[in-house]
Amino acid sequence: MSSSLHGRLILPGEMGYAMAAAPNNARYADVLPLAVAMCADAHDVQLCLRWAADHRQKFAIRSGGHNYAGFSTTSGLLIDVKAMNKVWFDLDKNRGYIQAGACNQDMADAFSGTNFSIPSGRCPTVGASGLVLGGGWGFSATHSGLTCDSLVQTDVALADGRHVSVDDKGDFRDLFWALRGGGGGNFGVNTAFSFELHEVKDDVTIFNIVWPGENQIELLSTLQDIQKNHARLISTRTKAYPDAPGPHPKRAQLQVATLGQFFGPREKALDALAPALKLVKPIKSDIRQMSYWQARDYLITDDPNGMYDVRSSYVADTLPPQALETMLHWMTKWPGGSLLPQNMGILFAIGGKVRDVACDATAYVHRNANYIFEMESAWAPIDSPDVVRRQQAWLSEYFDAMQPFMLRQSYVNFPSRELPHWASAYYGTNLARLMRVKKKYDPGNLFRFEQSIPPA
């Protein structure tokens, strides 16, 4: 296969292997591939799939390598499309085009300075393929919709060897439906995407506000009300977290923070945020008006990184005081570790424009929610196996304790190997249809991993 690739097949011990094999979540860094196929084009992807099928060899597909549960790692063939990373646009057609290996930063580099964008994610190194195939949350979601809501066409290498163009009008309409929220790696290997562009010529206002550990429940309730009352104009990531690492933080150590952007001038943003700003005096308050692309650069993060575990659920409306009390209680039960646990409980706003689309219009089913609620544990090499076990036990118990306040749903782009009933949690009432699409395009279940959609 190596001599037929337009790209490069990297074997263990060869230059670049360690870098090519390493995933974002170092928890799975010891899962080493038989080889890494750095694909240069769709031909290479098809060649890899044919080889894997002929040799009955397991494989994984990687774009950015950020799959939280390690599903872009394998002891077989790693099919990496990262080198296919061109981004371009045609303003006359109002279309943006990306190859499958492009990441959020590649997209931003191509569009920055223009008056147009594709709603995308926050972490610069996350692959756009995984982002859009799972739905696509970002700080523009409540205003412009998910990344998958702007998708108009995609090219896909299928299990039967075909490389097809898929949209909502042609012969593959059912597959196009499934690819907008059905998760990566289930139906084929996407090699390119076309998106509708969104105009972003007007300024936005960023805000990054941190409050001390007092009146947390009233403050978190107020922040949720602000988001609800300005559902399409504001996009927030709100959380509580300790002010220092260490086990069992006191209630007074649990700070409240909100980060996000308001689609409008600073004066109107201040009016919207006023109820929270008046409630408790912040210890940090950065509220500035700037261009859309300046705001994007302000809001980026490479978090999570290192070794971590996550759980996610959805909140239908808002978390009531009892739920917030439960959340804060479990934060004080944090068993400790060397790292500051900054992501113990996060509310990602995902209502507004996202809710305009029917639950069955795309595979992304979670149109009935205002928030993704995510929780993490994270550790460093200095932390002992016992510390890690205590953290993971805490995470599972905390997740269970929050379930009475949650929808029985979970975001496929925040996957967890420990998630019970994962298929129904990720796909809900769209699961049966997704299984039928899976059977039609991958009847032999070539594209399979621990949480892949099974054929009907």
Side-chain angles (χ1 to χ4, degrees):
M1 182 176 71
S2 177
S3 61
S4 301
L5 279 176
H6 297 159
R8 180 183 174 215
L9 187 71
I10 310 176
L11 301 176
E14 293 184 345
M15 182 183 67
Y17 173 84
M19 183 176 179
N24 169 265
N25 190 344
R27 181 182 178 189
Y28 302 101
D30 60 344
V31 182
L32 298 175
L34 178 71
V36 182
M38 300 297 298
C39 297
D41 50 31
H43 160 273
D44 286 358
V45 172
Q46 291 174 287
L47 185 65
C48 289
L49 292 177
R50 186 161 60 249
W51 181 89
D54 290 347
H55 292 81
R56 297 184 179 181
Q57 178 62 249
K58 60 184 175 180
F59 64 92
I61 308 158
R62 179 179 294 178
S63 174
H66 279 254
N67 188 285
Y68 288 0
F71 296 141
S72 61
T73 61
T74 180
S75 58
L77 177 65
L78 182 58
I79 302 173
D80 195 319
V81 300
K82 204 179 282 91
M84 301 162 55
N85 58 9
K86 292 184 176 63
V87 181
W88 67 103
F89 53 86
D90 185 334
L91 296 184
D92 291 334
K93 295 181 179 179
N94 195 43
R95 291 289 180 267
Y97 306 95
I98 69 168
Q99 291 183 314
C103 63
N104 281 327
Q105 189 62 48
D106 294 324
M107 295 169 68
D109 288 344
F111 287 99
S112 182
T114 75
N115 290 329
F116 298 90
S117 78
I118 298 167
S120 61
R122 182 182 174 212
C123 180
T125 56
V126 162
S129 291
L131 178 77
V132 63
L133 294 172
W137 179 87
F139 276 117
S140 294
T142 59
H143 183 73
S144 304
L146 300 170
T147 309
C148 75
D149 294 336
S150 294
L151 184 68
V152 293
Q153 183 273 338
T154 180
D155 298 332
V156 191
L158 298 176
D160 63 8
R162 289 179 294 170
H163 185 239
V164 299
S165 175
V166 177
D167 58 30
D168 65 351
K169 295 181 178 63
D171 295 336
F172 304 99
R173 293 188 297 274
D174 53 351
L175 181 57
F176 186 68
W177 173 87
L179 292 170
R180 287 174 291 164
N186 279 305
F187 305 101
V189 181
N190 294 72
T191 60
F193 302 86
S194 304
F195 295 92
E196 178 186 13
L197 298 178
H198 293 255
E199 192 173 69
V200 291
K201 66 179 180 179
D202 296 328
D203 280 0
V204 299
T205 301
I206 60 89
F207 50 89
N208 187 4
I209 311 168
V210 181
W211 289 270
E214 54 184 274
N215 292 356
Q216 294 100 328
I217 290 179
E218 190 175 358
L219 188 52
L220 288 163
S221 297
T222 300
L223 288 168
Q224 290 180 94
D225 289 340
I226 290 170
Q227 178 66 58
K228 186 174 181 179
N229 294 335
H230 305 84
R232 296 168 187 272
L233 289 178
I234 199 166
S235 181
T236 52
R237 184 226 59 188
T238 297
K239 64 181 182 178
Y241 66 102
D243 59 9
H248 308 297
K250 304 296 184 185
R251 181 71 167 255
Q253 289 183 264
L254 299 179
Q255 304 175 130
V256 172
T258 193
L259 173 74
Q261 67 183 353
F262 181 88
F263 286 84
R266 185 174 185 271
E267 293 75 17
K268 291 187 176 180
L270 286 169
D271 287 343
L273 294 166
L277 294 171
K278 293 175 181 176
L279 186 64
V280 177
K281 183 180 179 181
I283 56 178
K284 173 182 179 178
S285 180
D286 188 5
I287 305 172
R288 285 184 276 159
Q289 183 175 326
M290 56 184 67
S291 75
Y292 176 90
W293 290 110
Q294 288 173 322
R296 182 265 169 197
D297 291 344
Y298 182 95
L299 295 167
I300 61 171
T301 181
D302 62 355
D303 190 47
N305 215 337
M307 294 179 283
Y308 54 87
D309 195 2
V310 306
R311 302 285 190 280
S312 72
S313 297
Y314 281 84
V315 179
D317 187 27
T318 57
L319 286 183
Q322 184 183 358
L324 297 171
E325 184 63 50
T326 301
M327 180 184 80
L328 295 171
H329 168 74
W330 275 93
M331 289 180 178
T332 65
K333 292 170 71 69
W334 169 249
S338 62
L339 302 179
L340 174 65
Q342 296 190 58
N343 299 325
M344 302 175 90
I346 306 175
L347 286 162
F348 294 97
I350 200 161
K353 181 75 171 178
V354 178
R355 298 189 72 140
D356 286 354
V357 181
C359 291
D360 60 355
T362 67
Y364 181 87
V365 72
H366 315 289
R367 308 286 183 170
N368 58 343
N370 281 341
Y371 295 98
I372 301 170
F373 182 76
E374 191 231 15
M375 54 185 74
E376 300 174 15
S377 63
W379 56 94
I382 196 172
D383 292 314
S384 69
D386 185 57
V387 167
V388 177
R389 281 193 294 270
R390 290 200 302 270
Q391 284 193 17
Q392 291 177 313
W394 168 87
L395 187 64
S396 294
E397 292 169 15
Y398 173 24
F399 178 78
D400 290 343
M402 292 300 294
Q403 289 313 290
F405 311 106
M406 302 289 163
L407 296 168
R408 300 293 177 168
Q409 301 172 19
S410 186
Y411 185 30
V412 71
N413 278 355
F414 293 166
S416 167
R417 291 173 183 253
E418 285 73 39
L419 180 66
H421 313 297
W422 57 266
S424 60
Y426 294 149
Y427 306 117
T429 52
N430 286 337
L431 177 60
R433 183 176 174 184
L434 284 164
M435 291 172 64
R436 292 194 296 271
V437 174
K438 173 74 170 180
K439 183 177 182 179
K440 179 177 178 180
Y441 292 100
D442 186 18
N445 203 20
L446 177 66
F447 297 99
R448 63 182 181 273
F449 53 92
E450 291 87 340
Q451 290 184 353
S452 58
I453 296 171

